[in-house]
Amino acid sequence: MKPIIRFPVIDRRVLLSSLAMLPLLSASLRSTAAVAQAQRDPLPSWNEGATKTSILDFVARVTKEGGPEFVPPEERIATFDNDGTLWCEQPLQAQLFLLIDRVKEMSARDPAIGARQPFKALIEQDYKVIFGLGKQALLELVFATHSGITDEQFNRAAYEWLQTARHPTFGRLFRRCTYRPQVELLAFLRENGFKSYIVSGGGVDFIRAFAEEAYGIPCERVIGSSTKLRCDVKDHVFSLTKLPELNCFNDGEAKPRNIGLHIGRRPLLAFGNSDGDLSMLRYVKSGPGARLSLLIHHDDAQREVAYDREFALSPLVEALDRSAEYGITVVSMKRDWKVVFE
Amino acid sequence: MKPIIRFPVIDRRVLLSSLAMLPLLSASLRSTAAVAQAQRDPLPSWNEGATKTSILDFVARVTKEGGPEFVPPEERIATFDNDGTLWCEQPLQAQLFLLIDRVKEMSARDPAIGARQPFKALIEQDYKVIFGLGKQALLELVFATHSGITDEQFNRAAYEWLQTARHPTFGRLFRRCTYRPQVELLAFLRENGFKSYIVSGGGVDFIRAFAEEAYGIPCERVIGSSTKLRCDVKDHVFSLTKLPELNCFNDGEAKPRNIGLHIGRRPLLAFGNSDGDLSMLRYVKSGPGARLSLLIHHDDAQREVAYDREFALSPLVEALDRSAEYGITVVSMKRDWKVVFE
């Protein structure tokens, strides 16, 4: 019998069955791969310790074929918050700097805009006023100042902004403010058959503009806050116009609700960093079988910013104080991460 | 150098690069695979002719590396309506038979329910009354009679119902009323790197109960009509309760809007069978580059049911009458399908 490999192949089971059809090679290849896998540290930017071990152990248990906690690949879902979990959210979430740039642009054309609140506070980066507005109101401002264009136009504009926009204190591009240990974790989960989603309070269109390049997460695996869309037709061409009206603020209990709507399956693993993620972390952790919920604690003033309960736009209080009771694994940035940024 | 195959592998590019690391074998394997691919008819249940050719040509063009219409795998999205497109929707959509069974059950416990309209008409399968209600009102009845339970409980109940529920005239299980040519098309698209979604007016939870087994479409790639969900906590266990309130009726313009919300990328290919799919078909067809929109016309009274404009629950009028103008490829069940069911 001639060996046949069907490709393109995107299904792991097809690959394995194809390998099984290479009788002379498959056994030696498999053991070679197993050795290579064992020798390579899949999370080199994580320090050795209980946290890293809990992640490696969890993945080993749910992927061990024939093991008591084995979960088939199609059920291996992981959900990650974005701001503060996959990349830096200090001093403000990156999308708010896009808002600030947009308001500056509008104000340059019409100075009356810049003289009015809350636009004045945004232009002056008056954090006291900005924090007073709260996360949802700021998000609605983002949506209002980026409405009347199509989702495709917004995607391009956000992508272009991200090519040059820099973090105000770190000096690096915003899109380079991703956490290296987390990018490694996403790759490790992917190699182990997990489908990882972003489930963020940030605007879904904004995250889609960089998630694929930054994290390897395709746009259809991004769940976020959203505006209502209008279906328009012009000269036979259909498009989706972003309206200034909020469709969903994806924070708190909306996170598990949107996981139910978009994914339809309780994830095995969730990762967050604030009380806005707590419902998602508890929803995931309280499912049957092996589950892992992780919470990053920003306790590293030297390499990033040390903050938790006092960050008005996304405080961390209950999730930290009751983590043991809720079975949430706290990740200390200072203790558990060898490096922070890429 | 020892050959290394990393696995589990779910990414075609990883597979191809792994194959490239088998220097002695890769060339011969690749040519064997290419020959096998060329010799095998990927759509054996489709009759030869212009329709089949248009599908094969389209897929060849968008997957030809270096070709003028090449689309990278991550952008290869296809969206399919379900009722009447992937499986039979006559004499009523399958989910309405679940509703009828549910109403019978409720009526057995409380005969007063069965004496009232519209429940009486459902129990008696009085199609005139049922059709008069319209698709959305019927769907809201489905949601109302299956609320107060969690999404996970509904999924199990629907799955169990589908194990034994039979089509009233064909006699076969509903889950065997899928169209074989379409199951082949889904497999063909998958082999060519496409991610196929269901975008249906039917209830998302109901479709998720069989889409993976029937079509190879995982639950996270099902977009449908939905109820609102409530996030509940009891003894530290979080769950999502289905409320009797409609969240979204995914029909007409809601289809492209929900594609924007859930996928965030305009599909390359769409397939529908009624005017409820027309916005999706035109949204897809009017994107830049190569796009294919297909419409199944149920013109086969012998093997299925011949119907179009008169089907009150999901009429086909404009999409058929103006298909040429809109660039929609009409698939004749009678002419284009060698077999209909599995």
Side-chain angles (χ1 to χ4, degrees):
Chain A
M1 195 182 79
K2 279 200 181 178
I4 293 170
I5 286 197
R6 283 163 35 196
F7 71 94
V9 174
I10 55 163
D11 186 305
R12 179 179 160 254
R13 286 162 299 185
V14 174
L15 170 64
L16 291 177
S17 67
S18 302
L19 282 176
M21 296 173 80
L22 296 167
L24 294 173
L25 274 174
S26 61
S28 70
L29 281 174
R30 282 182 190 188
S31 62
T32 307
V35 170
Q37 182 83 12
Q39 286 172 339
R40 184 174 66 91
D41 178 357
L43 301 175
S45 301
W46 289 72
N47 286 318
E48 300 305 320
T51 309
K52 180 171 178 170
T53 300
S54 73
I55 295 172
L56 294 173
D57 279 2
F58 175 80
V59 172
R61 284 187 282 132
V62 298
T63 57
K64 188 181 163 60
E65 294 207 32
E69 295 180 293
F70 177 74
V71 177
E74 61 272 22
E75 295 177 23
R76 293 182 203 154
I77 303 282
T79 49
F80 286 78
D81 170 56
N82 184 46
D83 293 312
T85 299
L86 294 179
W87 74 352
C88 181
E89 65 173 352
Q90 290 292 338
L92 297 173
Q93 287 88 354
Q95 192 169 4
L96 298 183
F97 288 98
L98 171 63
L99 168 64
I100 289 169
D101 284 355
R102 175 82 181 126
V103 170
K104 283 179 181 168
E105 203 181 285
M106 290 161 69
S107 174
R109 279 201 304 271
D110 178 3
I113 291 176
R116 279 208 318 267
Q117 287 297 19
F119 303 115
K120 190 167 174 286
L122 285 164
I123 292 171
E124 294 169 355
Q125 297 192 30
D126 178 342
Y127 287 170
K128 206 179 148 193
V129 176
I130 292 173
F131 288 162
L133 290 167
K135 192 157 63 167
Q136 179 168 341
L138 285 164
L139 193 79
E140 292 190 66
L141 270 179
V142 172
F143 289 162
T145 53
H146 289 96
S147 62
I149 57 174
T150 70
D151 60 340
E152 290 163 349
Q153 287 167 332
F154 177 79
N155 184 279
R156 276 192 294 277
Y159 183 84
E160 277 164 26
W161 183 81
L162 284 160
Q163 299 316 300
T164 56
R166 284 183 186 275
H167 190 279
T169 57
F170 294 123
R172 56 172 66 217
L173 293 171
F174 278 112
R175 64 194 172 89
R176 296 277 179 259
C177 290
T178 53
Y179 300 135
R180 188 157 123 190
Q182 299 292 64
V183 173
E184 281 175 10
L185 176 57
L186 289 168
F188 176 57
L189 291 171
R190 194 161 49 239
E191 283 168 20
N192 280 281
F194 277 79
K195 288 173 269 194
S196 291
Y197 281 75
I198 290 174
V199 180
S200 167
V204 64
D205 292 333
F206 179 69
I207 303 166
R208 282 173 176 158
F210 64 91
E212 202 141 0
E213 279 183 22
Y215 310 127
I217 294 181
C219 56
E220 67 269 19
R221 291 201 190 136
V222 178
I223 301 168
S225 295
S226 55
T227 55
K228 289 195 188 304
L229 296 169
R230 189 183 62 218
C231 190
D232 287 326
V233 200
K234 198 185 159 185
D235 302 329
H236 281 292
V237 175
F238 274 59
S239 58
L240 301 171
T241 300
K242 285 167 70 70
L243 301 180
E245 196 186 339
L246 188 70
N247 176 58
C248 180
F249 177 49
N250 189 43
D251 196 46
E253 291 190 351
K255 290 198 174 193
R257 287 202 310 264
N258 275 325
I259 289 171
L261 177 65
H262 289 250
I263 306 178
R265 177 167 271 155
R266 198 187 289 246
L268 296 188
L269 183 152
F271 214 133
N273 80 305
S274 77
D275 283 1
D277 302 314
L278 185 53
S279 294
M280 173 172 79
L281 297 176
R282 296 186 68 194
Y283 168 66
V284 167
K285 185 65 191 171
S286 63
R291 309 274 164 172
L292 184 62
S293 282
L294 299 143
L295 179 82
I296 177 82
H297 186 207
H298 294 264
D299 57 0
D300 194 328
Q302 203 168 0
R303 296 185 298 176
E304 201 219 20
V305 183
Y307 69 98
D308 43 45
R309 57 196 79 227
E310 76 287 358
F311 182 42
L313 292 186
S314 196
L316 169 61
V317 184
E318 185 185 349
L320 186 64
D321 293 346
R322 302 182 70 177
S323 58
E325 180 189 347
Y326 297 156
I328 295 169
T329 302
V330 177
V331 177
S332 155
M333 183 179 276
K334 195 171 174 176
R335 180 194 62 208
D336 294 318
W337 287 1
K338 205 170 285 174
V339 291
V340 173
F341 295 114
E342 289 289 337
Chain B
M1 194 183 80
K2 280 196 178 178
I4 294 170
I5 284 198
R6 282 163 36 194
F7 71 95
V9 174
I10 54 165
D11 186 307
R12 177 179 162 255
R13 285 163 299 184
V14 174
L15 170 65
L16 291 177
S17 67
S18 303
L19 282 177
M21 296 174 81
L22 296 166
L24 294 173
L25 275 174
S26 61
S28 69
L29 282 173
R30 283 181 190 187
S31 61
T32 306
V35 170
Q37 180 84 11
Q39 286 171 341
R40 181 176 68 91
D41 177 356
L43 300 175
S45 300
W46 288 72
N47 286 319
E48 299 306 320
T51 309
K52 181 172 178 169
T53 301
S54 73
I55 295 172
L56 294 174
D57 279 0
F58 175 80
V59 172
R61 284 187 283 130
V62 298
T63 57
K64 187 180 164 58
E65 295 208 31
E69 294 182 293
F70 177 74
V71 177
E74 61 272 21
E75 294 177 23
R76 293 181 203 154
I77 303 283
T79 50
F80 286 78
D81 171 56
N82 183 47
D83 293 312
T85 299
L86 293 178
W87 77 353
C88 180
E89 65 172 352
Q90 290 293 335
L92 298 173
Q93 287 88 354
Q95 192 169 4
L96 299 183
F97 289 99
L98 171 63
L99 168 64
I100 289 169
D101 284 356
R102 175 81 182 127
V103 170
K104 283 180 181 165
E105 203 182 286
M106 289 161 69
S107 175
R109 279 201 305 271
D110 179 3
I113 290 175
R116 280 209 315 266
Q117 288 296 21
F119 303 115
K120 190 166 174 288
L122 285 164
I123 291 170
E124 293 168 355
Q125 299 193 29
D126 179 342
Y127 287 170
K128 204 178 151 196
V129 175
I130 291 173
F131 287 162
L133 290 167
K135 192 157 63 167
Q136 179 168 341
L138 285 163
L139 192 79
E140 292 190 64
L141 270 178
V142 172
F143 289 162
T145 53
H146 289 95
S147 62
I149 58 175
T150 71
D151 60 339
E152 289 163 350
Q153 287 166 335
F154 176 80
N155 185 278
R156 276 192 294 277
Y159 182 83
E160 277 162 27
W161 182 81
L162 284 159
Q163 299 317 300
T164 56
R166 282 183 188 277
H167 190 279
T169 57
F170 294 122
R172 56 172 67 218
L173 293 171
F174 278 111
R175 61 193 174 90
R176 298 274 178 262
C177 290
T178 53
Y179 300 135
R180 188 158 124 188
Q182 300 291 64
V183 174
E184 282 174 8
L185 176 56
L186 289 168
F188 176 57
L189 291 172
R190 194 161 48 240
E191 284 168 18
N192 281 281
F194 277 79
K195 289 173 269 194
S196 290
Y197 282 74
I198 291 175
V199 179
S200 167
V204 63
D205 292 334
F206 179 70
I207 303 165
R208 282 174 175 157
F210 63 91
E212 201 142 0
E213 279 182 22
Y215 310 126
I217 293 182
C219 56
E220 69 269 17
R221 291 202 192 136
V222 179
I223 301 169
S225 294
S226 54
T227 56
K228 289 196 188 302
L229 296 168
R230 190 182 60 218
C231 190
D232 287 327
V233 200
K234 198 183 160 187
D235 301 331
H236 281 292
V237 175
F238 273 60
S239 58
L240 300 172
T241 300
K242 284 168 69 71
L243 302 180
E245 195 185 340
L246 188 69
N247 176 57
C248 181
F249 177 49
N250 189 42
D251 196 46
E253 291 191 351
K255 291 198 174 195
R257 287 201 309 264
N258 274 325
I259 289 171
L261 178 64
H262 289 249
I263 305 177
R265 177 168 271 155
R266 198 188 290 245
L268 295 190
L269 183 151
F271 213 134
N273 79 306
S274 78
D275 283 1
D277 302 314
L278 184 53
S279 294
M280 174 171 78
L281 297 175
R282 296 186 68 194
Y283 169 65
V284 167
K285 186 64 190 172
S286 61
R291 310 272 164 173
L292 184 63
S293 282
L294 298 143
L295 179 82
I296 178 82
H297 186 208
H298 294 263
D299 56 1
D300 194 327
Q302 201 164 2
R303 296 184 298 177
E304 200 219 22
V305 183
Y307 68 98
D308 44 45
R309 55 197 78 228
E310 75 288 359
F311 182 42
L313 292 186
S314 195
L316 169 61
V317 184
E318 185 185 348
L320 186 64
D321 293 346
R322 303 181 70 177
S323 58
E325 180 189 346
Y326 298 156
I328 295 169
T329 302
V330 177
V331 177
S332 154
M333 183 179 274
K334 196 171 175 175
R335 179 194 63 206
D336 293 319
W337 287 1
K338 202 170 285 173
V339 292
V340 173
F341 295 114
E342 289 289 337

